Amino acid sequence: MEKVDNQLEKKELRKSLLKTRHSMSVAEWKQKSDRICTHLLTSPLFNQAKTILAYFSFRQEPDLSLLFTDTSHRWGFPRCVGQSLFWHIWTHKDSVITGSYGITEPQPDAPIVAPDQVDLILIPCVACDYQGYRLGYGGGYYDRMLSSPEWANKPTIGIVFEFAYLPKLPVEPWDKRLQGVCTEFGLNPLQIIKF
């Protein structure tokens, strides 16, 4: 019964938080997104990373595009293929396509990023809690990825607006904790993150 309750609670919470996110004005969304980028740019964790996996903003997720022109980092972005995420190198000069679910993705023939090359993963979230658990869109893509041995120990930072940074989320056994959460108010490391 608890599993059903958790799923229902997650569904309702997701719906409510997405509604709040969509109600933000473009100016507020941009301002808060820019603050998140500033916090990341001043973070030693971010600056030490050579290859960073990120995402293209979708449905008013925090927009990290200010970061993507920084050529001191190599950027990887996901493509949804079946039940998995495939990561590709992308620079701000490369073209993109609209992939699964209407999400912007790199071209399928862009070079693949191998897990052993990755130093940091910036993860989009509907919400995060103070323990580092995230609420996604319900597809399980990131939980499946972070459960596999080659990805399990990679530093992860959840990216959310402050209104979606909550004391506690309903948690399932397969949910993976993130090592940090960044909002417009700052970067909160939740575990010791090592490179």
Side-chain angles (χ1 to χ4, degrees):
M1 187 66 185
E2 186 181 325
K3 182 178 177 183
V4 174
D5 289 347
N6 265 359
Q7 290 298 320
L8 192 61
E9 192 178 345
K10 281 185 171 185
K11 188 176 179 181
E12 289 303 312
L13 190 56
R14 185 180 293 118
K15 187 176 170 183
S16 169
L17 290 167
L18 288 174
K19 186 176 178 183
T20 302
R21 197 167 79 191
H22 288 294
S23 70
M24 293 170 68
S25 70
V26 172
E28 181 186 10
W29 170 72
K30 191 75 186 129
Q31 181 187 52
K32 289 180 177 184
S33 294
D34 290 353
R35 284 188 194 149
I36 289 171
C37 290
T38 300
H39 292 304
L40 289 169
L41 285 167
T42 57
S43 157
L45 177 64
F46 178 86
N47 287 304
Q48 291 167 19
K50 302 262 186 288
T51 300
I52 301 173
L53 302 185
Y55 63 89
F56 295 111
S57 177
F58 176 68
R59 290 160 60 175
Q60 278 201 205
E61 291 168 334
D63 179 11
L64 303 181
S65 59
L66 269 185
L67 305 173
F68 305 154
T69 56
D70 182 345
T71 55
S72 65
H73 303 287
R74 208 164 70 130
W75 293 98
F77 290 86
R79 274 190 332 111
C80 293
V81 180
Q83 294 293 302
S84 300
L85 295 175
F86 283 74
W87 294 89
H88 297 267
I89 297 296
W90 183 85
T91 72
H92 67 283
K93 296 174 186 164
D94 296 337
S95 62
V96 292
I97 60 169
T98 301
S100 303
Y101 312 108
I103 299 171
T104 301
E105 299 181 342
Q107 295 286 346
D109 59 354
I112 295 281
V113 182
D116 63 352
Q117 300 170 316
V118 174
D119 302 308
L120 178 63
I121 309 172
L122 304 177
I123 299 183
C125 310
V126 174
C128 287
D129 72 13
Y130 299 169
Q131 292 73 47
Y133 289 106
R134 72 183 277 274
L135 178 66
Y137 293 100
Y141 287 91
Y142 282 94
D143 288 322
R144 278 191 297 278
M145 180 180 108
L146 296 173
S147 293
S148 62
E150 66 269 27
W151 293 105
N153 297 315
K154 297 294 176 185
T156 53
I157 298 175
I159 309 295
V160 289
F161 294 120
E162 187 68 28
F163 73 81
Y165 188 34
L166 307 171
K168 189 160 179 46
L169 288 170
V171 175
E172 303 288 357
W174 57 81
D175 289 334
K176 296 295 171 196
R177 285 179 66 200
L178 305 173
Q179 292 158 316
V181 176
C182 191
T183 76
E184 67 271 24
F185 290 162
L187 175 57
N188 305 296
L190 303 169
Q191 302 174 39
I192 301 297
I193 303 176
K194 297 177 187 161
F195 284 105

